[in-house]
Amino acid sequence: MTKIDDVARLAGVSTATVSRALRGLPTVSAATRSRVLAAAEQLQYAVSPSASRLAGGRTGTVAVVVPRITRWFFGVVVEAAEDFFHRAGYDLLLYNLGGREQNRQRVLYATHLHKRVDAIMLVATPLRATDVTALAALDLPGVTISSGTTVPGWPCVRIDDVAAARTATRHLLDLGHRRIAHISGDPDDELAFSAHLDRRRGHQEALRAAGLQPDPSLDVESSFDIAGGTRATEELLRRGDPPTAIFAACDEMAMGALTALRDAGLRVPQDVSVIGIDDHALSGVLGLSTIAQPAVEQGRLAAQLLLDPLCGRALDADVSKPDSSVILDTRLVVRDSTAPARAN
């Protein structure tokens, strides 16, 4: 069996140079790389991924931390990132916090983590000041996606949640709605990501810009999922004088709203219009109007931002190299769940 030493002897270089050349690192000249590749081909040498990683002092693994992997957005982002990692020769180590504080402590304060992974990706994971300090102590490169907290030296990929919410609420206002309810996540859930806070702010900004004051009776908090959307809408209806439109902070909550309205005998959009944020895979099937966010692109760009410094080169010619922090565009998608308000 051919060994790396054989390639090194034939190419007239050290084994370390062979390793760097075969991994495509930029510290090897073009002439030397060509000589090494020719020697490897002549000897039919196949690179061992594990040996290559050990030679470079790397694990070839990226840790990806998500609040709850069962949520649509997190799953789409992780799948897109994993595809990029795979093509770059990296494995993904998934940490699902699952809403449990002990999981958060186990991951963010794991002093041994730097021995298991080369980098960290935090997906919509809010951080306390102590968390940021703990991550800095790991001395690992990282990237955040849709996080309300920045980590010094880490780039971030996200959408403008405030602007997205303004667009959703403006759409309802343009349709003539004035009693517009908002259902969103629980601000007391410390493990919940913070996008719902920005979305509430954008909703209220749009109301004020239209000369309307936010009505606390039309604002209900619940869990950031279908069941939470159902409970929040049921609470809205119990308060009497129902809204003519509902802006849900995510599509899953909007789906829950559709269920609650149907069960209450109300028609969408004839009686109540509903809009969400995400463009969930089921939103088109349900005819849900929404603000589409590019979840796949967020995962891919974050993966590229993370791996480019590790590999010393651009990995995907199809994706333009982003800046250190990227805010991606959203767009309004109008479907069947929103319509002009009925005249009183």
Side-chain angles (χ1 to χ4, degrees):
M1 178 182 294
T2 303
K3 298 181 180 179
I4 193 171
D5 299 36
D6 302 320
V7 177
R9 277 193 295 271
L10 182 58
V13 297
S14 67
T15 55
T17 299
V18 171
S19 176
R20 288 194 297 271
L22 294 180
R23 284 184 290 134
L25 297 183
T27 53
V28 180
S29 68
T32 300
R33 191 188 315 279
S34 297
R35 199 161 67 248
V36 169
L37 291 175
E41 182 177 2
Q42 179 180 334
L43 297 174
Q44 296 184 325
Y45 174 70
V47 180
S48 165
S50 58
S52 177
R53 291 168 180 173
L54 289 173
R58 293 177 179 172
T59 66
T61 303
V62 175
V64 177
V65 183
V66 298
R68 291 177 176 85
I69 191 58
T70 55
R71 303 290 169 77
W72 173 83
F73 174 76
F74 305 142
V76 171
V77 166
V78 169
E79 183 177 18
E82 193 277 336
D83 177 68
F84 197 96
F85 292 148
H86 176 74
R87 288 186 288 111
Y90 276 75
D91 296 323
L92 182 152
L93 180 60
L94 179 66
Y95 289 96
N96 177 32
L97 300 184
R100 292 184 289 273
E101 176 62 26
Q102 60 267 34
N103 288 349
R104 180 193 189 96
Q105 295 288 329
R106 180 173 61 87
V107 175
L108 301 183
Y109 293 83
T111 56
H112 65 280
L113 192 60
H114 69 282
K115 298 179 181 179
R116 303 185 64 184
V117 301
D118 297 327
I120 304 173
M121 175 183 289
L122 297 180
V123 183
T125 304
L127 300 172
R128 310 181 186 102
T130 52
D131 299 335
V132 174
T133 301
L135 289 170
L138 293 174
D139 195 27
L140 288 172
V143 66
T144 63
I145 300 176
S146 297
S147 177
T149 311
T150 59
V151 179
W154 288 21
C156 177
V157 178
R158 63 183 180 88
I159 64 169
D160 186 335
D161 288 292
V162 175
R166 280 198 301 262
T167 300
T169 302
R170 273 202 305 265
H171 171 61
L172 298 174
L173 290 166
D174 290 343
L175 290 172
H177 294 281
R178 292 300 178 265
R179 283 189 58 77
I180 303 173
H182 179 51
I183 57 176
S184 64
D186 183 0
D188 294 328
D189 182 359
E190 292 188 344
L191 288 182
F193 67 117
S194 60
H196 63 278
L197 300 176
D198 288 333
R199 293 174 188 180
R200 175 182 286 113
R201 180 156 64 92
H203 167 67
Q204 293 178 348
E205 286 180 2
L207 291 178
R208 292 190 178 99
L212 301 174
Q213 285 303 311
D215 184 347
S217 70
L218 295 177
D219 194 320
V220 180
E221 298 160 356
S222 189
S223 57
F224 219 66
D225 53 21
I226 295 175
T230 300
R231 289 192 299 270
T233 304
E234 290 172 344
E235 173 60 26
L236 275 173
L237 297 178
R238 277 193 294 270
R239 295 178 180 182
D241 193 12
T244 65
I246 297 175
F247 163 44
C250 70
D251 279 1
E252 291 188 33
M253 293 194 82
M255 293 173 192
L258 295 177
T259 299
L261 293 168
R262 180 197 62 202
D263 292 347
L266 294 171
R267 300 167 301 165
V268 176
Q270 293 90 339
D271 298 319
V272 182
S273 287
V274 178
I275 189 170
I277 290 182
D278 276 336
D279 203 20
H280 187 288
L282 294 178
S283 295
V285 176
L286 297 174
L288 178 65
S289 294
T290 188
I291 304 299
Q293 66 164 318
V296 170
E297 189 176 359
Q298 288 180 70
R300 293 184 68 207
L301 286 177
Q304 180 175 348
L305 281 170
L306 198 57
L307 292 191
D308 272 357
L310 291 177
C311 298
R313 59 191 175 93
L315 293 172
D316 193 338
D318 295 331
V319 178
S320 59
K321 184 173 178 60
D323 297 328
S324 60
S325 291
V326 183
I327 300 177
L328 298 177
D329 293 333
T330 57
R331 60 187 175 87
L332 172 65
V333 179
V334 179
R335 297 191 176 105
D336 299 333
S337 67
T338 52
R342 291 193 303 174
N344 293 329

